Amino acid sequence: PVSGVVSNVIRHGSKLAVDIYSTEKVITTFAKDHEWQLIEEGDLVRIQGVGLDGLKEGNVFSVSELPETENELIEAYKKIDSKKAVNPLAYYEVQIMTPEELSNSPYGHNINTTIIIDEALGAVAVNENWVSRSDKKSARGMIIDKSGKAVTVKLTTPFNEDTRVVVTEGLASGQV
């Protein structure tokens, strides 16, 4: 037994095929080749759209390893995508689950999603030229201590954002 909404019935001679939309709604979006490599299952997703009460959160449920074949969903996505992919075949399906039911949103409704691939709460970002990198996750920087002297400190730097290094440990706001 399957719970859902019948969307299409197809007859193949004496056999029937039925397309059923699950009652458990899953958000489907697509990532281009360079984006796909950064997305992982469990990544936080922020969701908004008409019919939703404010900003919702969910998580990446699955990331396809195979490029999406042409179908109605990918065709619609390509039409509304503001940035075209360099390789038009390199779109990968990403499924998103929400802890809350999306009952106010109909099937096939356009919902905006933002997948958070790097997040650092309470972090500061500094110009990458202001630190000396020892590896991708750590660096050394200079601060002025309470006596007015320059002191070298070890920094934890989980990722870069454009030309800035995100620092989660070793530097606080106001020390720059």
Side-chain angles (χ1 to χ4, degrees), residues 7-157:
S7 68
N8 194 14
V9 178
I10 305 163
R11 182 176 295 277
H12 297 286
S14 62
K15 296 181 182 178
L16 289 177
V18 180
D19 290 337
I20 300 176
Y21 288 135
S22 169
T23 53
E24 183 178 281
K25 294 181 183 176
V26 175
I27 297 170
T28 300
T29 189
F30 299 92
K32 296 179 193 82
D33 190 34
H34 66 282
E35 299 166 333
W36 168 84
Q37 298 171 27
L38 303 172
I39 299 171
E40 297 178 359
E41 289 180 12
D43 281 347
L44 178 65
V45 181
R46 297 212 168 91
I47 305 158
Q48 61 184 7
V50 176
L52 297 179
D53 298 328
L55 186 69
K56 304 288 183 195
E57 289 190 348
N59 294 91
V60 173
F61 175 69
S62 70
V63 183
S64 175
E65 293 184 12
L66 298 172
E68 187 64 26
T69 57
E70 287 300 316
N71 61 43
E72 291 173 355
L73 280 177
I74 191 66
E75 286 176 27
Y77 183 85
K78 286 179 179 180
K79 285 179 183 175
I80 62 173
D81 187 15
S82 61
K83 295 180 183 175
K84 301 302 177 202
V86 175
N87 177 358
L89 302 176
Y91 284 87
Y92 297 84
E93 183 181 88
V94 178
Q95 291 190 335
I96 300 163
M97 295 290 288
T98 60
E100 300 177 33
E101 180 61 35
L102 297 174
S103 58
N104 293 343
S105 190
Y107 291 101
H109 188 67
N110 183 23
I111 293 178
N112 296 315
T113 59
T114 302
I115 300 172
I116 311 299
I117 55 171
D118 287 323
E119 183 174 40
L121 300 174
V124 294
V126 297
N127 186 306
E128 64 187 356
N129 296 325
W130 296 356
V131 299
S132 173
R133 297 292 284 228
S134 49
D135 59 47
K136 284 188 171 191
K137 299 289 182 190
S138 61
R140 296 210 176 274
M142 301 288 283
I143 63 168
I144 306 296
D145 68 5
K146 291 181 183 186
S147 65
K149 295 181 182 177
V151 179
T152 301
V153 292
K154 184 177 181 204
L155 308 173
T156 302
T157 56

